[in-house]
Amino acid sequence: MSLSTQPYKGARDFYPEDKRLQKYMFRIMRESVEQMGYEEYDAPILESLDLYLAKTGEEIVNEQTYAFEDRGGRRVAIRPEMTPTVSRMVASKRQELAYPLRWYSIPNLWRYERPQRGRLREHWQLNVDLFGLSGLRAEAEIIQVADTILKKFGATHDMYEVKLNSRKLMDYIMGAYLGLNVTQAHTLAKLIDRMRKMPPEEFEAEAESIFSHGQREEGMHIKLKGLLKIKNIGHLPEALRNHAAAKELQGLLDTLYDNGITNAVFDITLMRGFDYYTDVIFEVFDKHPENNRSMFGGGRYDGLVGLFGVEPVPTVGFGMGDVTLQNFLEGHDLLPTLRSETDVYVILIGDVYGKAQRVIRELRAMGLNVAVDLTDRKPDKQIKTATKKDIHYALFIGEKELEEELYTLRNLHSGVEEKHSASRIVSIAKDYRGEDDDL
RNA sequence: GCGGAUGUAGCUCAGCUGGUUAGAGCGCUGGAUUGUGGCUCCGGAGGCCGUGGGUUCGAACCCCAUCAUUCGCCCCA
């Protein structure tokens, strides 16, 4: 029985070409959010399990969290999400931070569950949060951040859609408007959440069964059925349309539209799983016909920081997972071809290993990333190796080159080969690298 | 936790209703007079047919179990 070479279930190995892609995605994310004034923070991957017991949906703690006891008998969890951690950090320095805070991180997160498309046990997630603002400007900005990132990846508005809803509005609908108690409302919310996955008749039957006899006699389930078809805040019944939460949501949509985010829509069926959201929630959907699914989302959660015994801090944020994002980018053919970080692959011709060192050192000192083959294989083999490594330039160094101090630089993609001085080679290779950055 | 699909070479797969030494393409590797790839030609390595058990004269193929991968459900950062 030999050892398995497979990575742990639901986790991934990042070979250099995979890591290259990840670095690209993280770079675009960082550039996008930093452009909007967000600063990066980080925290340990381990947290006290208590942190997750206090909040969150119950499921994620009981069944989906990696938890264990450390040698000192402490209950420890591998973080399944970043929001509790960042809330803890803000609470810890509640008094001394300069609000509003614009913070982001790209943590590695774990959840224990059956892996499936777009959902693994281990993933990386960009977390973007704006602390200390209670007005809608915060929501508008955070959605703008999400939009900026997707645009920076080359996505256009026909590729995705931002769906918006409001927990406050839904609470009002469930309670005052439909007359449901808390338990009924919760059951109905979960049902609406998976409405798209079930046949309409089945949904209707289940929805109807949530209502009591009396409520049914009043026709509440009919009212609900009508409501769920509404695609526009303006089409809501007057009692709802004039509710503050509805007006705010409309105001947010208008602001977004004015800021060029024309693919944001109201969606009364949008729920999101976590209980900690308090007001506006949003979710970005992939519109690709074969991958029509939720990509990521977020919303307002004003209560979390306060759980640590300090004055609450109003907060809006979202999390964007690397797996779903990659599916999106692949689906829309938005991933660039990425080349090696190595600029030049040196191929030594003849017995010049010692004599070539000086110029190689020189190239590196001038800022090039230079790998030397070091084998004595024939040049054709060495070229193949360089190509396979996705290195753009091969540099031949032999007796002739060393004498002339002009080295043969070969573009491995075009096959064009020219002799240049060391400093010229540096500027050519750097130019090429620079083009890459502008993508 | 539940249901479906799939496990044959490094990869993608073929292998007819069970019948001798298990195949292809790609990849890998060596060569075509030791300073040049992606084309061509010739040679080579590489498989306990996921694992364990059963049926049979005989199993990659049939049956059971188990593990793994994958899609979906539950749930959803």
Side-chain angles (χ1 to χ4, degrees):
Chain A
M1 183 84 181
S2 61
L3 277 173
S4 170
T5 58
Q6 280 176 353
Y8 174 72
K9 186 185 185 74
R12 296 162 289 170
D13 290 327
F14 289 89
Y15 285 84
E17 60 269 29
D18 307 315
K19 193 68 187 175
R20 213 179 282 161
L21 176 60
Q22 190 194 56
K23 282 166 79 175
Y24 166 75
M25 295 202 297
F26 288 3
R27 196 187 84 216
I28 298 294
M29 289 176 178
R30 287 197 166 92
E31 285 174 7
S32 306
V33 298
E34 285 174 4
Q35 186 182 352
M36 307 279 289
Y38 286 72
E39 299 176 287
E40 187 164 9
Y41 66 92
D42 211 338
I45 192 163
L46 298 181
E47 286 279 4
S48 164
L49 186 63
D50 296 339
L51 184 64
Y52 305 103
L53 296 173
K55 43 124 309 215
T56 311
E58 308 71 38
E59 174 97 14
I60 201 163
V61 175
N62 298 334
E63 294 171 29
Q64 300 200 350
T65 299
Y66 279 87
F68 62 95
E69 199 168 277
D70 74 9
R71 289 171 193 248
R74 284 168 284 258
R75 300 268 284 151
V76 180
I78 302 179
R79 61 187 176 199
E81 53 160 340
M82 199 59 170
T83 306
T85 298
V86 71
S87 301
R88 174 177 66 71
M89 287 170 69
V90 171
S92 171
K93 300 205 173 192
R94 169 78 176 77
Q95 309 290 343
E96 53 191 290
L97 296 168
Y99 299 93
L101 304 177
R102 289 185 169 87
W103 283 11
Y104 81 91
S105 62
I106 311 180
N108 192 217
L109 308 174
W110 291 77
R111 59 184 164 210
Y112 190 81
E113 65 165 352
R114 288 284 291 269
Q116 53 186 290
R117 177 172 168 77
R119 288 170 66 79
L120 304 176
R121 287 183 169 183
E122 169 267 334
H123 76 146
W124 299 78
Q125 186 188 62
L126 170 70
N127 275 256
V128 182
D129 292 285
L130 178 46
F131 292 88
L133 291 175
S134 46
L136 285 170
R137 289 178 183 181
E139 277 88 343
E141 175 170 309
I142 214 81
I143 292 169
Q144 206 182 331
V145 171
D147 187 69
T148 300
I149 296 167
L150 292 175
K151 284 202 184 109
K152 195 143 189 151
F153 275 110
T156 49
H157 278 172
D158 54 304
M159 297 177 189
Y160 62 97
E161 189 169 55
V162 184
K163 295 185 177 179
L164 290 163
N165 199 0
S166 158
R167 278 281 168 88
K168 271 187 186 158
L169 180 62
M170 292 313 287
D171 286 349
Y172 181 75
I173 289 176
M174 303 269 197
Y177 191 72
L178 294 175
L180 297 173
N181 64 36
V182 176
T183 314
Q184 288 175 308
H186 193 260
T187 310
L188 180 57
K190 296 286 175 195
L191 181 64
I192 292 175
D193 202 24
R194 57 196 169 93
M195 179 175 157
R196 273 177 294 270
K197 287 185 178 177
M198 52 205 298
E201 318 81 55
E202 198 184 323
F203 171 81
E204 273 177 40
E206 276 198 47
E208 200 175 326
S209 72
I210 292 172
F211 291 89
S212 69
H213 277 299
Q215 288 165 335
R216 273 198 290 267
E217 271 168 30
E218 288 174 60
M220 289 305 182
H221 60 294
I222 308 288
K223 271 171 103 175
L224 169 70
K225 196 176 159 185
L227 273 184
L228 293 178
K229 288 181 183 153
I230 291 171
K231 306 277 183 213
N232 200 305
I233 295 173
H235 296 164
L236 288 170
E238 199 172 342
L240 299 176
R241 208 189 322 150
N242 291 330
H243 187 270
K247 286 184 170 171
E248 283 178 9
L249 207 50
Q250 186 59 58
L252 175 58
L253 280 164
D254 293 342
T255 305
L256 290 173
Y257 197 92
D258 292 343
N259 286 324
I261 299 170
T262 53
N263 55 340
V265 296
F266 168 63
D267 187 339
I268 197 169
T269 68
L270 181 67
M271 291 293 154
R272 290 193 67 69
F274 277 159
D275 292 334
Y276 56 64
Y277 290 113
T278 53
D279 196 344
V280 172
I281 49 178
F282 73 94
E283 209 155 287
V284 179
F285 278 76
D286 188 348
K287 288 178 82 175
H288 194 290
E290 280 167 29
N291 194 47
N292 202 320
R293 48 160 50 203
S294 165
M295 264 201 291
F296 65 93
R300 178 170 284 280
Y301 53 102
D302 288 344
L304 278 189
V305 172
L307 287 182
F308 295 89
V310 299
E311 276 294 295
V313 177
T315 311
V316 179
F318 71 89
M320 175 191 267
D322 66 331
V323 183
T324 40
L325 175 65
Q326 194 177 325
N327 288 156
F328 172 78
L329 297 174
E330 280 167 354
H332 294 277
D333 203 20
L334 291 173
L335 290 175
T337 51
L338 300 165
R339 286 176 204 88
S340 171
E341 287 83 4
T342 305
D343 300 303
V344 166
Y345 195 74
V346 171
I347 296 173
L348 302 173
I349 307 289
D351 188 18
V352 295
Y353 172 75
K355 281 185 276 187
Q357 293 306 315
R358 194 184 55 79
V359 63
I360 290 166
R361 271 201 306 275
E362 218 174 293
L363 293 170
R364 287 176 178 150
M366 287 189 278
L368 280 202
N369 297 338
V370 181
V372 183
D373 188 89
L374 294 184
T375 72
D376 288 321
R377 292 175 303 174
K378 291 176 165 182
D380 59 328
K381 301 298 177 196
Q382 300 192 36
I383 288 173
K384 274 193 168 182
T385 300
T387 307
K388 201 167 173 183
K389 289 179 190 292
D390 290 319
I391 297 171
H392 192 60
Y393 289 107
L395 185 66
F396 295 94
I397 302 182
E399 295 289 354
K400 283 185 287 187
E401 283 82 357
L402 288 167
E403 269 172 42
E404 304 171 345
E405 297 200 345
L406 293 175
Y407 310 91
T408 310
L409 185 69
R410 183 183 182 89
N411 179 323
L412 292 175
H413 290 98
S414 66
V416 173
E417 192 171 293
E418 290 169 329
K419 288 198 167 190
H420 294 292
S421 67
S423 59
R424 183 83 188 105
I425 285 165
V426 171
S427 69
I428 290 172
K430 280 191 177 174
D431 273 359
Y432 176 76
R433 197 201 281 173
E435 280 171 20
D436 229 11
D437 288 343
D438 293 338
L439 277 174

